[in-house]
Amino acid sequence: MIKQISAVLLALAATGAVAQSAPGGPLGTLQCTGKPVTIRLSIIKPGQLALFKKAVADHQAWYAKNGNGTKVTLVRVTKRGAGGALSYDDSAAMTVVTYDAKPQPARDAGYAAFVKEYQDSSTVKDEHRGCLG
């Protein structure tokens, strides 16, 4: 798991992903000279991957609608099958939220809607907050 998260962070660093700081910052009082991020590993409920993907898209759209440059990225998890063949694991996914320097928008009905989509489609197994870079 740590190797997967490290690989995601390295990939994001290489793409020059954008940053955000919530009120008080996602890292509390810690200083971040890079970009604050939240990485979540979610267990997808059976048959709910499409709804999870919609939640990610709606999450990103909510930030955009509110003029905030936070980026929400879906990371598909892979697994090895017989003979070492790789395939996507529809029972797990990661999201990486790379925060904008602007304050978080006020939570509204749009916020509640994408949170409900996440809750209906998945359970957060693990969450990490950190500083990219």
Side-chain angles (χ1 to χ4, degrees):
M1 173 57 60
I2 298 299
K3 287 181 183 179
Q4 290 172 324
I5 290 172
S6 297
V8 168
L9 290 175
L10 287 173
L12 284 174
T15 64
V18 190
Q20 171 193 321
S21 181
L27 299 177
T29 59
L30 290 176
Q31 295 297 313
C32 176
T33 58
K35 308 202 183 296
V37 296
T38 300
I39 301 170
R40 293 180 182 94
L41 172 63
S42 296
I43 303 304
I44 309 301
K45 295 177 182 177
Q48 296 300 312
L49 182 59
L51 181 58
F52 185 84
K53 287 180 176 181
K54 182 178 183 317
V56 173
D58 290 347
H59 190 177
Q60 178 61 58
W62 179 79
Y63 277 112
K65 176 184 171 203
N66 286 287
N68 189 290
T70 293
K71 300 296 180 199
V72 183
T73 305
L74 171 66
V75 179
R76 295 292 309 274
V77 174
T78 60
K79 62 182 177 180
R80 291 210 181 266
L86 278 176
S87 63
Y88 288 109
D89 184 352
D90 290 346
S91 69
M94 292 191 299
T95 54
V96 179
V97 182
T98 308
Y99 295 99
D100 185 6
K102 295 179 184 177
Q104 289 280 306
R107 294 178 179 181
D108 59 10
Y111 179 93
F114 76 73
V115 168
K116 182 172 183 344
E117 291 171 344
Y118 279 125
Q119 291 170 340
D120 289 349
S121 64
S122 65
T123 302
V124 175
K125 179 179 180 183
D126 207 4
E127 178 179 299
H128 297 274
R129 294 177 186 261
C131 182
L132 183 62

